[in-house]
Amino acid sequence: MECQWKPDEQGLQQILQLLKESQSPDTGTQRSVQQKLEQLNQFPDFNNYLIFVLTKLKSEDEPTRSLSGLILKNNVKAHYQNFPNGVSDFIKNECLQNIGDSSPLIRATVGILITTIASKGELQNWPDLLPKLCLLLDSEDYNTCEGAFGALQKICEDSAEILDSDVLDRPLNVMIPKFLQFFKHSSPKIRSHAIACVNQFIISRTQALMLHIDPFIENLFALAGDEEPEVRKNVCRALVMLLEVRMDRLLPHMHNITEYMLQRTQDQDENVALEACEFWLTLAEQPVCKEVLSGHLSKLAPVLVNGMKYSEIDIILLKGDVEEDEAVPDSEQDIRPRFHRSRTVAQQHEGGDGIEDEEDNDEDDLDDDDTISDWNLRKCSAAALDVLANVFRDDLLLHLLPLLKELLFHPDWVIKESGILVLGAIAEGCMQGMIPYLPELIPHLVQCLSDKKALVRSITCWTLSRYAHWVVSQPADAYLKPLMTELLKRILDSNKRVQEAACSAFATLEEEACTELVPYLAFILDTLVFAFSKYQHKNLLILYDAIGTLADSVGLHLNKPEYIQMLMPPLIQKWNQLKDEDKDLFPLLECLSSVATALQSGFLPYCEPVYQRCVNLVQKTLAQAMLHQSQPDVYEAPDKDFMIVALDLLSGLAEGLGGNIEQLVARSNILTLMYQCMQDKMPEVRQSSFALLGDLTKACFQHVKPCIADFMPILGTNLNPELISVCNNATWAIGEISIQMGSEMQPYVSMVLHQLIEIINRPNTPKTLLENTAITIGRLGYVCPQEVAPMLQQFIRPWCTSLRNIRDNEEKDSAFRGICTMITVNPGGVVQDFIFFCDAVASWVNPKEDLRDMFYKILHGFKNQVGEENWRRFSDQFPLPLKERLTAFYGV
């Protein structure tokens, strides 16, 4: 290393020239700079020049030197393994010698370079790095100490795992106690680095830190009142993480910590306040939350409420003073990627509607203002209030009511707006306690919908949607009608943010109100169709969702010529405008799928072009996937969402049109395409193709039947409950196929039965999957009792418990016929669990006559078999309602 490398003057000038050019705003210049950089990377000592400019060339301005270091960092990221040894040693050496540069920018750049080299797996190959940096911490020179700490903090962030492993001989055993000494350093910047370093090791419960947990916590307490915001922020962050990891150590001090966090949540520095506010969010998820916080609610409530006001900077960023912007086109980066929810087949429940998926109710989270830096004090405070309302319920409401009275009628719009947000945030947790106030509050909120400030109108839409359930439960003229009338006006607001909030709120209202909306359909469609002509890009996508939800909610009531005339032309016009590669097709296809299912025969005039295009989209995507597989360098992978959404719309068509789809299927190669889709690597593609298989089986089995021998083995291999939705749809399809096949199903039973029995006996299986599995087992038993009945004892108990809660319907009917047939074949299989069978039978409200006879025969057969005396002893174990129902309906 003695022969020091020296740059060539001409080369140096060339590189400086390049660095200057790269600071130009012109994109053309930027592009040529990129090309030259790529060329220069061919020279082994190019990177020596870059480090030389960063560390040695003090005559240059700092931004240029820093840029040189950042280009070097990118080279390290991309090509470090190709650096000659001499070059990498030179760079490492220069970094360590210049970590204490007098310029904070240069120090930080060197630190970034060091951590980038370290994270390229070089911590092992740079054994003196950590010891050297730790040694430099003791330097008398502030710059050296700060630079070394900055680098260590970045390494702790980037390489936490490897630092805590045996690979490096556990350096943390030395480093953590060392960091703790610096908590009391005189420089705030260094105190802040020290805490940030240790904080990296809390969540992973790193052994070296757990050994020093008490001194760590004591040191944190000592820094609680630090005058430096960055230090306070890191203290708050540490305490929030310790809540999750070492609650045991915090509990004795909990009163003081809570008081401290109350102060910090009101910190002048918003970053500190935000970190502190996370404390309430995290604490709410801990079992001790109630006892720890109940004494502090009176202080905490006003602090959180206060944090929910828009800050001045928020209002500027949100253009809160711009009221009308409906004519301004959206910029493309404003449009968030949408996720298509693939089709999942579910059962209807007593007293409720079909459920999509059990994890699906997080639609209305607090994302009212998504364009600001995503997470801020307002959102965090609102989220904390929401979770705390769910913990404390009406106890929290006590402390909020006096505040709400003042906020909701406040003359300053910013304060009034925050009150409306509070009301929405507590809607779920404090619902019971809110009910007495709603008759007065809802009309007040409906008035706020026409406030002159757009940000008040938009938050009011959201808050009202959180109370939609209550509104729908009241007399329509009093609440639903005025709310709907005003919300529809807001859908046509001249402000885009309000349009968006109103459309989302209306979709929520539709889900709650369902057929209550039927009397107002003409009025609703009028508004939604008019919105088509005035919406910009982003809100158009939300409008599709509102229309689709309307169709799901009112179903066949939409099938009137005048409604179809209003709704279909604008949808078909968009359909014709969009190219096959346009992602806007997703929400439009989802919307059409709901509309087709609702309209049924009313969709016939539109079905042919829609059907054709869906088949095309599937075919194109599969073809592109094949090309990509054969030559990945030449062809890029397709976006399979196009195929998934198309399959789902085909399902909607099959479900809506029934037998009318037969001609279209006959004239297309959809079954060949489905055969490929059912074997796709991507689970969502398989999920949607199984849903379509079930729907086509119901609609036109004559076209599906020739393929059954090919399809059944594939269905059998997809009964893997790890992929819940795939498994669910495959199970449902097998059941539909059984009904159509009848006794010809016999050769296929063995391909699927043992998996189905395994699933129904599996603990923690989601309800939807259990119900579909039970129905399919029942249907298989109905058509092939000899094959399935011998296994009766293995599934009868979970079978009965999973089907007792679903509504009387065709699927339940066929499943119970199956179980009765199997009991006739193998009565012994049900003896031990007969009480469960009795309970399941009693869950029927009115079974068809012949099914009731089957129940009657089995119940009486069992009773006669065991004799009066035993039957009485047996039926005395029944809960009273069960006993009464069986006596009333079946006379046993």
Side-chain angles (χ1 to χ4, degrees):
M1 211 43 235
E2 283 318 295
C3 55
Q4 195 59 348
W5 175 87
K6 291 274 188 305
D8 164 64
E9 193 50 44
Q10 203 184 346
L12 188 57
Q13 286 314 316
Q14 198 188 340
I15 283 171
L16 285 172
Q17 181 57 36
L18 199 55
L19 290 168
K20 292 276 188 284
E21 280 173 20
S22 72
Q23 294 170 54
S24 142
D26 174 61
T27 42
T29 316
Q30 289 289 344
R31 230 172 294 159
S32 81
V33 168
Q34 275 318 109
Q35 282 167 339
K36 286 184 197 157
L37 285 176
E38 285 308 308
Q39 289 159 4
L40 286 168
N41 264 317
Q42 309 310 310
F43 298 101
D45 65 352
F46 172 48
N47 294 301
N48 288 7
Y49 280 91
L50 291 173
I51 189 81
F52 182 85
V53 175
L54 173 66
T55 59
K56 291 268 196 293
L57 206 57
K58 310 271 162 122
S59 55
E60 275 304 320
D61 61 288
E62 287 177 13
T64 303
R65 292 172 55 202
S66 169
L67 187 63
S68 183
L70 293 175
I71 291 172
L72 175 54
K73 174 208 71 166
N74 291 335
N75 285 348
V76 168
K77 262 200 165 127
H79 321 287
Y80 190 74
Q81 63 287 355
N82 307 332
F83 283 20
N85 272 348
V87 174
S88 45
D89 288 342
F90 180 59
I91 294 171
K92 287 177 179 176
N93 213 29
E94 283 298 307
C95 283
L96 282 175
Q97 282 182 1
N98 293 279
I99 191 71
D101 192 281
S102 58
S103 148
L105 179 64
I106 301 299
R107 290 202 295 276
T109 311
V110 173
I112 291 171
L113 193 49
I114 288 177
T115 188
T116 309
I117 295 173
S119 60
K120 285 304 265 187
E122 284 295 297
L123 268 177
Q124 297 94 298
N125 306 336
W126 194 354
D128 57 345
L129 174 62
L130 293 171
K132 276 244 169 82
L133 289 175
C134 286
L135 202 61
L136 293 173
L137 293 182
D138 298 323
S139 162
E140 292 298 306
D141 173 47
Y142 167 78
N143 292 337
T144 305
C145 174
E146 196 279 327
F149 238 134
L152 280 164
Q153 182 181 333
K154 294 182 183 89
I155 293 170
C156 291
E157 285 166 12
D158 294 341
S159 309
E161 269 103 74
I162 192 166
L163 287 174
D164 187 33
S165 67
D166 287 326
V167 180
L168 297 176
D169 199 20
R170 305 216 169 259
L172 291 179
N173 295 338
V174 179
M175 287 161 70
I176 284 182
K178 179 104 186 161
F179 295 153
L180 289 173
Q181 293 167 10
F182 284 87
F183 277 36
K184 304 217 164 69
H185 195 276
S186 59
S187 149
K189 188 96 179 101
I190 286 175
R191 295 197 293 276
S192 176
H193 280 313
I195 310 172
C197 284
V198 180
N199 281 358
Q200 296 306 318
F201 304 101
I202 300 177
I203 291 293
S204 57
R205 298 183 165 76
T206 301
Q207 189 59 45
L209 175 55
M210 294 301 129
L211 292 171
H212 298 91
I213 198 76
D214 292 329
F216 174 47
I217 293 174
E218 275 162 42
N219 276 333
L220 285 175
F221 290 164
L223 290 177
D226 201 291
E227 79 278 4
E228 173 66 28
E230 199 57 28
V231 174
R232 297 197 300 274
K233 187 179 98 177
N234 282 328
V235 169
C236 291
R237 184 173 287 174
L239 290 169
V240 171
M241 292 190 283
L242 287 166
L243 269 186
E244 291 184 54
V245 175
R246 292 308 302 261
M247 183 57 111
D248 57 321
R249 283 295 189 265
L250 296 186
L251 263 179
H253 314 283
M254 220 43 198
H255 181 79
N256 293 345
I257 293 175
T258 308
E259 291 286 323
Y260 173 66
M261 285 300 193
L262 271 168
Q263 280 177 309
R264 287 290 72 84
T265 308
Q266 305 169 75
D267 199 292
Q268 288 308 295
D269 183 298
E270 180 169 345
N271 293 319
V272 179
L274 178 56
E275 283 298 337
C277 195
E278 297 279 355
F279 180 82
W280 315 113
L281 208 47
T282 306
L283 184 56
E285 282 154 18
Q286 303 294 326
V288 298
C289 176
K290 242 181 156 147
E291 52 179 294
V292 167
L293 275 190
S294 45
H296 297 274
L297 287 183
S298 58
K299 284 185 189 163
L300 177 57
V303 170
L304 290 177
V305 168
N306 196 34
M308 287 163 76
K309 290 202 300 278
Y310 276 127
S311 66
E312 285 172 31
I313 201 98
D314 288 343
I315 294 169
I316 295 167
L317 289 173
L318 284 172
K319 307 192 174 63
D321 50 346
V322 177
E323 292 299 321
E324 293 195 18
D325 60 357
E326 63 174 338
V328 183
D330 297 326
S331 71
E332 288 308 299
Q333 63 265 34
D334 284 348
I335 298 173
R336 289 202 283 193
R338 289 182 74 273
F339 297 103
H340 170 67
R341 281 217 300 276
S342 306
R343 219 173 157 90
T344 310
V345 188
Q347 295 302 319
Q348 302 279 309
H349 289 75
E350 272 313 322
D353 297 296
I355 49 165
E356 275 283 304
D357 218 333
E358 281 149 33
E359 291 76 41
D360 228 20
N361 54 0
D362 50 2
E363 279 292 300
D364 55 353
D365 276 346
L366 298 152
D367 57 357
D368 51 311
D369 38 39
D370 37 298
T371 42
I372 317 191
S373 62
D374 275 352
W375 192 236
N376 53 26
L377 184 58
R378 168 185 164 92
K379 288 193 177 177
C380 189
S381 305
L385 197 64
D386 185 353
V387 287
L388 289 168
N390 277 299
V391 174
F392 288 100
R393 307 221 168 250
D394 298 347
D395 297 346
L396 179 63
L397 191 56
L398 279 176
H399 302 288
L400 291 171
L401 283 171
L403 301 170
L404 276 169
K405 286 202 180 85
E406 190 184 329
L407 298 173
L408 289 171
F409 299 93
H410 203 283
D412 178 348
W413 75 267
V414 177
I415 295 176
K416 176 170 157 182
E417 193 277 346
S418 71
I420 298 171
L421 173 58
V422 170
L423 214 49
I426 61 172
E428 198 187 337
C430 302
M431 193 61 187
Q432 275 322 103
M434 283 303 300
I435 287 175
Y437 305 97
L438 292 178
E440 207 181 319
L441 267 178
I442 297 294
H444 174 63
L445 287 172
V446 171
Q447 268 184 313
C448 294
L449 281 176
S450 44
D451 193 277
K452 59 180 198 302
K453 293 305 280 185
L455 289 171
V456 174
R457 299 197 298 276
S458 60
I459 197 66
T460 306
C461 291
W462 178 75
T463 293
L464 278 163
S465 75
R466 301 266 290 175
Y467 291 96
H469 188 73
W470 181 85
V471 168
V472 170
S473 70
Q474 302 299 304
D477 281 347
Y479 302 101
L480 178 61
K481 203 171 165 186
L483 168 58
M484 196 179 56
T485 312
E486 283 306 308
L487 210 44
L488 288 171
K489 287 184 196 160
R490 293 294 64 87
I491 287 180
L492 302 178
D493 201 277
S494 57
N495 178 280
K496 292 194 288 191
R497 173 180 302 281
V498 180
Q499 295 170 357
E500 175 183 5
C503 250
S504 305
F506 195 71
T508 306
L509 185 64
E510 289 169 336
E511 285 173 357
E512 291 288 351
C514 291
T515 48
E516 301 276 327
L517 298 177
V518 173
Y520 315 107
L521 264 176
F523 185 37
I524 294 170
L525 285 170
D526 233 0
T527 304
L528 297 179
V529 170
F530 188 63
F532 258 111
S533 60
K534 74 184 270 157
Y535 274 14
Q536 297 293 342
H537 188 176
K538 179 182 178 191
N539 287 349
L540 211 46
L541 307 183
I542 298 163
L543 181 62
Y544 294 140
D545 182 51
I547 292 172
T549 309
L550 180 67
D552 295 338
S553 305
V554 300
L556 254 180
H557 295 282
L558 200 55
N559 190 7
K560 286 207 172 122
E562 63 269 32
Y563 297 159
I564 297 177
Q565 230 1 78
M566 291 166 79
L567 185 56
M568 289 308 295
L571 286 174
I572 293 296
Q573 190 199 345
K574 290 289 174 198
W575 169 265
N576 291 330
Q577 281 170 9
L578 292 175
K579 296 193 174 54
D580 278 356
E581 301 71 51
D582 193 328
K583 288 202 163 83
D584 285 6
L585 273 176
F586 302 164
L588 178 56
L589 287 163
E590 284 178 43
C591 170
L592 281 170
S593 178
S594 297
V595 170
T597 309
L599 292 181
Q600 299 186 8
S601 61
F603 198 77
L604 270 174
Y606 308 97
C607 66
E608 189 156 5
V610 172
Y611 180 90
Q612 269 333 116
R613 186 169 191 180
C614 287
V615 173
N616 256 343
L617 282 168
V618 175
Q619 192 150 8
K620 267 184 157 170
T621 312
L622 286 171
Q624 180 73 24
M626 302 266 284
L627 285 173
H628 171 69
Q629 217 167 348
S630 60
Q631 294 172 281
D633 310 337
V634 188
Y635 299 100
E636 53 180 88
D639 181 344
K640 288 193 177 166
D641 277 350
F642 284 103
M643 173 156 77
I644 296 167
V645 182
L647 290 165
D648 286 347
L649 176 43
L650 287 168
S651 284
L653 288 177
E655 193 182 332
L657 300 173
N660 287 319
I661 202 172
E662 185 272 323
Q663 281 291 292
L664 295 170
V665 174
R667 295 200 298 268
S668 70
N669 61 341
I670 185 64
L671 286 151
T672 320
L673 298 175
M674 279 166 62
Y675 181 63
Q676 291 174 269
C677 293
M678 288 155 78
Q679 300 176 78
D680 198 274
K681 292 196 300 290
M682 189 175 177
E684 290 79 2
V685 175
R686 302 201 300 277
Q687 171 184 339
S688 291
S689 54
F690 295 142
L692 178 55
L693 173 60
D695 282 315
L696 288 179
T697 297
K698 289 172 82 164
C700 52
F701 190 63
Q702 67 270 42
H703 297 304
V704 178
K705 193 170 181 182
C707 312
I708 289 300
D710 291 327
F711 288 174
M712 282 306 301
I714 301 174
L715 286 163
T717 54
N718 277 280
L719 297 176
N720 162 20
E722 294 304 315
L723 295 168
I724 292 169
S725 302
V726 178
C727 182
N728 180 66
N729 290 0
T731 303
W732 174 73
I734 293 167
E736 290 298 339
I737 290 168
S738 316
I739 293 294
Q740 301 290 340
M741 291 283 282
S743 58
E744 292 177 63
M745 193 66 185
Q746 194 257 322
Y748 305 111
V749 174
S750 60
M751 293 180 182
V752 298
L753 186 60
H754 73 268
Q755 295 95 305
L756 293 168
I757 292 176
E758 210 169 294
I759 293 165
I760 204 169
N761 283 294
R762 214 167 153 257
N764 305 326
T765 304
K767 201 163 60 183
T768 307
L769 179 54
L770 278 179
E771 290 162 358
N772 277 320
T773 305
I775 284 170
T776 294
I777 291 175
R779 289 176 151 191
L780 282 168
Y782 182 47
V783 297
C784 300
Q786 299 303 334
E787 279 67 33
V788 187
M791 324 293 265
L792 200 50
Q793 204 185 331
Q794 293 178 34
F795 60 77
I796 184 73
R797 188 182 221 166
W799 190 95
C800 292
T801 48
S802 59
L803 288 187
R804 61 188 300 276
N805 295 323
I806 68 169
R807 290 190 197 166
D808 295 8
N809 65 13
E810 282 308 311
E811 303 197 347
K812 185 171 176 175
D813 178 275
S814 55
F816 271 84
R817 286 170 195 275
I819 217 79
C820 293
T821 314
M822 291 188 273
I823 289 173
T824 323
V825 172
N826 175 18
V830 72
V831 173
Q832 289 176 313
D833 297 305
F834 199 69
I835 186 164
F836 289 93
F837 176 72
C838 295
D839 178 54
V841 166
S843 78
W844 276 88
V845 184
N846 39 11
K848 291 184 186 158
E849 209 43 56
D850 58 335
L851 181 60
R852 180 185 301 236
D853 287 345
M854 294 169 105
F855 291 158
Y856 184 93
K857 288 201 178 86
I858 290 173
L859 291 170
H860 281 271
F862 188 83
K863 183 177 172 178
N864 299 337
Q865 191 83 43
V866 297
E868 268 309 328
E869 182 57 36
N870 284 333
W871 176 261
R872 212 188 62 247
R873 270 213 296 273
F874 174 64
S875 62
D876 279 347
Q877 309 163 28
F878 290 1
L880 199 58
L882 173 58
K883 206 170 185 170
E884 286 171 352
R885 276 191 89 138
L886 289 177
T887 310
F889 283 96
Y890 303 98
V892 290

